[in-house]
Amino acid sequence: MLRSLVGSEMCIRDRYDDALALAAQYGAVVEAVSGNRPLFDIQASLVDPALSQAGFGPHRDRPFGPAEGTATPRSFRGRKGKFAEMPKFCTCWIGLSEAMPDNGCMYVLPRAADHGYSEGDMLSVSGPNAVAPHKWGLRQSPTGNPIWSPNQNQAFASVRAVPCHSGDAMVISHRVLHWGSQGRPESELGPRISLTCSLAKPSFEQPFVQDVGVLGQSLEARLALAAAQTLSYEDQASRSMTIDPEKREVYERLCRSFDGFTEQYAERVSRFAPEAEGGKRRKKQRKM
């Protein structure tokens, strides 16, 4: 069953009920703690150290580019209320196999050692508010966005491995700097298999579909969502993931055939499947 959920195209496997059920089960727990709601952004992955594979390099799940300085503080809730100061976006990483340093577990940089966590990565390198050069180093994230990574001994000493057993979950905010490591080729633990789902405050980021209930009822909806996510992740992981042209055409058609995406997600999907549109927008066009 584990291998039926994963593959080289890491989102198309989400058409299976198992992935949705698992994401919903863990998502309910995370929602109760964070106040964030499932987006149904589900990704399955298999990283095999025997093939010298590794997960994504160091990145934040929601970087803000040039708007880092203003958008980052706003991506956390205020100091009052049930979910005071909680992030408006978080990711739940679920282990479907053993995930240890030996076969490539996740690593994180704690907030205390990461000045870019709450202040933003686009920090000044000159002027009265300049950051000391010995503390930071500019690098490029997997999506091409600049990241100011701590370049001091304290930061490297603070890096933490997050080993997990099958069934364990790791929940991190959108600002945690994290990455998937490369395990030893000789590891006897086998591939590291996982499922990831994201949650957000609706005003910060909308769910991907207008009616989440349709995912449990419609194979068309699940296929369209899986196809859209696969195209999106291929763009983010441009060098490590490629889709066969014939499959790409099928995925684009699936995206265009479904009118249940929220407008926010439909706009994102339209970059990969140009004619894909949200349901509300299509209904307006039909009335014209």
Side-chain angles (χ1 to χ4, degrees), residues 4-66:
S4 73
L5 294 175
V6 298
S8 59
E9 292 163 20
M10 53 192 173
C11 295
I12 202 65
R13 311 298 170 181
D14 302 340
R15 70 184 185 273
Y16 295 109
D17 293 339
D18 307 71
L20 289 170
L22 196 61
Q25 178 182 353
Y26 281 79
V29 176
V30 178
E31 180 177 354
V33 175
S34 68
N36 295 331
R37 296 180 180 178
L39 297 176
F40 290 93
D41 175 8
I42 305 173
Q43 171 197 328
S45 63
L46 183 153
V47 178
D48 192 346
L51 301 177
S52 298
Q53 295 176 345
F56 286 118
H59 67 284
R60 305 188 195 279
D61 285 340
R62 285 299 180 273
F64 300 109

Side-chain angles (χ1 to χ4, degrees), residues 104-181:
C105 70
M106 300 292 287
Y107 282 77
V108 301
L109 183 67
R111 177 178 182 175
D114 180 6
H115 297 289
Y117 179 92
S118 56
E119 298 178 36
D121 289 316
M122 300 298 288
L123 300 173
S124 175
V125 293
S126 61
N129 298 319
V131 176
H134 71 278
K135 290 187 176 181
W136 302 89
L138 185 63
R139 64 178 303 279
Q140 193 176 55
S141 73
T143 58
N145 294 306
I147 286 183
W148 283 99
S149 298
N151 193 36
Q152 52 188 348
N153 291 337
Q154 176 191 352
F156 285 105
S158 299
V159 169
R160 297 289 185 268
V162 189
C164 293
H165 296 294
S166 178
D168 287 350
M170 175 184 75
V171 181
I172 59 174
S173 87
H174 59 304
R175 296 299 299 174
V176 172
L177 194 61
H178 63 287
W179 58 96
S181 61

Side-chain angles (χ1 to χ4, degrees), residues 2 22 26 93-100 163-169 193:
L2 292 180
L22 196 61
Y26 281 79
W93 184 96
I94 306 166
L96 300 182
S97 70
E98 295 295 291
M100 300 291 161
C164 293
H165 296 294
S166 178
D168 287 350
I193 308 172

